[in-house]
Amino acid sequence: MICCGVTRNINQEIKAMANKSNTYIVRFIAMALLVMATLSSCERKPLYLQATGQVDVEVGVYDIELQYIWGTEWVTEWQYEWDEAEYGAIGYTKPHGVRATIYGLINEMHRDNFFTQNFSADGGRVSLLAGNWYDLLFYNNGTNYILFNTDENHSFYNATTRTSMRSNYSSDDTRAYVDMNQPEELFGSFMEKNEISLNPDDYEIEYDEDGTTIYVYKLNATLRPHTMIYLVQVIMLNNLNEKGERIVKGAKGLTLSGLASGTDLFTRLNNTERISLTTDDIKPLQTDRNLKLPDGTIETGDIMATRMLTWGLPGIDPLAARSRNGDVEADSCYVGVGLTLSNNAVFTVQGNITEKIRKRPSGGVITLVIDAAKLPEPPEPGGESGGGFDADVDEWDNEINADITI
C-alpha cells in the first residue's frame, strides 16, 4: 500500500480514477497515498488537503499457485520425484524486494521525469504530488543476470539476458539462433495513467501512534510473472543392454529453441526475436519407475528432468494467451538433449515441440519419450555423435530409427 501526502491547498474536487487490478498469482499490495493533516477533535473531512507529501509503501506478496498458470493437469503429467530440499523450488518463489520506477506525465499522456526507489518486502517511503498524474512500474529487484534497457522517450522498458557460453544441443537447422542465458524469476506490474486525487472524499481516515489524524488514498497493483517455467522430463524406455547396463545414464545438457529473447515490462509483450536457451542442470536419472506415457499406457522405465526459466513464445503476452485457453500462433520450437551414454560419450537428439509448447504458452510440463534400444552403438569415449528426431516421423538422421513421443 503506498500512502502519499498533498503539498498545496486546492479547493476543488477531481473525480478519482478507478484502478484496474487483475487477480493473478503474486499480489503486490502497493500504494497508499498518505496525507498527513492535523485536525481538530472533529473528524469531518476538510474541503482541501494539507500535508507533507510523503508516500508510504506496504508490500504484500502471496503464494503462487501453479495451477492458476499451468492448469491442474500438470500435477498428473509431472512424474519426476523432485526433492525441493535438494533441487530447490519447482515453482515460483517469493521476491525479496521491489523496485519502483515512477514517471511524471505531461498532459496526462507523455512520460517525462522519473525516479526509482527500492522497497524491502515490507515496504518503504516515497513522495508524490496530489493532483498530478503518474505511470508506475514495479518489478522485483535483486536479479543478477537480467538486463534492463529503455529509450530517452521511455516508450518501452525491455528485459533480456546476455548471450550464453554453454554448449548448445540444437541441430544445424536451429543453431542460427543466438543462445542466451536463462532469465531469473521476474515479476512485474505496470499501472498506467494514475491520478493522485485531490478530493478528500477519496481518502480514508487513519491515526498514527501519536493520535494524529492522517488521510490515506489507496491504489492496488498486482505483480505477475514475466518469466515462464517449463519442466522438461525425459523418459527412457528399454534402457538396459544385453549385459544389464544402462544404455543412457543421464544427460549433459538440454536446449530449447524458438523462444523469445526478452519482454517489455510496459506492455507485457515478448520480443519477436527468437533465441535458444541451454541448461546443463539435468537432475539425476531415476531408474525402474512405473511411468505413464503420453498415450496413457504404463511402462517401466527411467526418467530425468530439468526446470527451465524462459520468457515464453515470441510476440505474445504469455499469461493473456493462457487465459484465452487456446493454442497460440508460433513458429517451430525444438528441444535438443545431449544424452550421456554408458561410456560417457554424448549423443545429441532433437525433437519438434511446437504443438506442445503452443498449448502451454505460460509454461508447464513437456514430456519426451525415447526408446534407448534404438539408439546407435556408443562412439568412442569422450566423443560426440548426433541425430535428429521429429514428433511426426520415427526416423533418425543417418537412417537410424527410433520411436520418439513428445
Side-chain angles (χ1 to χ4, degrees):
M1 183 181 341
I2 294 180
C3 305
C4 154
V6 183
T7 60
R8 52 182 177 173
N9 295 347
I10 300 178
N11 189 10
Q12 62 178 0
E13 294 187 358
I14 299 177
K15 182 178 180 181
M17 183 175 70
N19 291 290
K20 301 178 180 177
S21 62
N22 298 312
T23 54
Y24 282 93
I25 317 311
V26 180
R27 290 193 184 217
F28 173 83
I29 304 174
M31 316 211 324
L33 296 172
L34 205 208
V35 183
M36 312 271 316
T38 304
L39 303 177
S40 63
S41 58
C42 176
E43 294 184 358
R44 180 168 50 87
K45 294 180 181 179
L47 296 179
Y48 56 86
L49 298 174
Q50 202 170 28
T52 62
Q54 294 301 303
V55 176
D56 286 340
V57 180
E58 180 182 341
V59 178
V61 180
Y62 294 79
D63 291 337
I64 302 166
E65 301 290 343
L66 288 177
Q67 61 263 30
Y68 295 136
I69 300 179
W70 293 348
T72 57
E73 66 274 7
W74 84 270
V75 178
T76 56
E77 292 178 358
W78 181 244
Q79 299 178 79
Y80 191 83
E81 294 177 351
W82 188 278
D83 183 353
E84 291 198 338
E86 182 176 359
Y87 303 143
I90 197 170
Y92 292 99
T93 56
K94 176 182 176 180
H96 296 294
V98 175
R99 169 168 290 183
T101 303
I102 301 176
Y103 302 87
L105 298 183
I106 298 176
N107 298 325
E108 305 174 9
M109 294 180 59
H110 304 292
R111 297 177 195 121
D112 184 25
N113 59 308
F114 73 95
F115 64 94
T116 63
Q117 184 159 329
N118 292 331
F119 305 136
S120 71
D122 298 323
R125 175 163 287 193
V126 70
S127 296
L128 295 179
L129 295 175
N132 285 14
W133 291 74
Y134 297 91
D135 281 353
L136 305 106
L137 175 67
F138 301 93
Y139 59 88
N140 55 297
N141 57 16
T143 58
N144 296 314
Y145 304 107
I146 296 177
L147 305 176
F148 299 96
N149 63 85
T150 186
D151 63 356
E152 61 181 11
N153 296 321
H154 314 298
S155 61
F156 64 85
Y157 202 103
N158 190 257
T160 186
T161 59
R162 293 183 174 88
T163 55
S164 172
M165 302 302 293
R166 292 184 174 87
S167 297
N168 186 296
Y169 300 96
S170 301
S171 71
D172 292 339
D173 293 336
T174 56
R175 284 188 188 276
Y177 296 145
V178 175
D179 197 68
M180 302 186 73
N181 289 314
Q182 292 183 63
E184 298 146 285
E185 293 180 24
L186 182 66
F187 307 90
S189 177
F190 179 56
M191 302 179 66
E192 191 173 16
K193 296 182 180 179
N194 290 269
E195 178 195 9
I196 308 308
S197 177
L198 287 166
N199 187 348
D201 292 335
D202 294 331
Y203 292 74
E204 297 179 5
I205 292 178
E206 292 184 3
Y207 302 94
D208 64 15
E209 58 185 9
D210 297 323
T212 302
T213 304
I214 56 178
Y215 282 91
V216 178
Y217 179 66
K218 295 183 178 180
L219 298 173
N220 292 322
T222 303
L223 282 185
R224 299 177 290 162
H226 282 292
T227 46
M228 307 296 122
I229 300 172
Y230 283 99
L231 304 177
V232 184
Q233 57 187 2
V234 182
I235 296 175
M236 304 300 307
L237 300 179
N238 304 312
N239 197 26
L240 293 176
N241 61 20
E242 295 178 352
K243 299 179 182 179
E245 301 168 334
R246 300 287 166 193
I247 300 171
V248 174
K249 63 179 185 179
K252 188 176 180 180
L254 184 146
T255 298
L256 294 179
S257 300
L259 300 175
S261 63
T263 193
D264 184 354
L265 272 60
F266 288 154
T267 65
R268 302 193 67 89
L269 289 177
N270 285 345
N271 299 350
T272 56
E273 178 188 10
R274 303 173 70 204
I275 54 96
S276 61
L277 298 170
T278 298
T279 180
D280 55 12
D281 185 18
I282 313 298
K283 303 310 179 189
L285 195 71
Q286 297 174 353
T287 59
D288 300 321
R289 295 272 312 278
N290 288 328
L291 301 168
K292 185 177 181 180
L293 305 186
D295 63 4
T297 60
I298 304 296
E299 296 275 359
T300 299
D302 304 338
I303 187 171
M304 51 189 164
T306 189
R307 171 186 182 268
M308 295 190 70
L309 277 161
T310 78
W311 302 107
L313 290 169
I316 68 167
D317 175 346
L319 291 181
R322 165 68 186 175
S323 67
R324 290 194 295 268
N325 295 320
D327 291 355
V328 300
E329 293 295 327
D331 292 328
S332 296
C333 297
Y334 290 87
V335 58
V337 187
L339 299 174
T340 304
L341 306 183
S342 58
N343 66 344
N344 293 323
V346 177
F347 189 86
T348 300
V349 296
Q350 177 171 308
N352 188 318
I353 57 170
T354 306
E355 292 303 314
K356 193 79 167 178
I357 211 165
R358 281 179 57 189
K359 295 178 180 179
R360 293 164 172 77
S362 59
V365 178
I366 297 174
T367 302
L368 315 178
V369 181
I370 300 176
D371 189 346
K374 297 183 178 180
L375 291 173
E377 290 296 322
E380 293 299 319
E384 290 199 17
S385 182
F389 62 81
D390 188 276
D392 299 322
V393 295
D394 298 329
E395 185 173 317
W396 290 65
D397 288 348
N398 304 319
E399 298 182 353
I400 300 172
N401 294 324
D403 294 320
I404 306 297
T405 304
I406 299 180

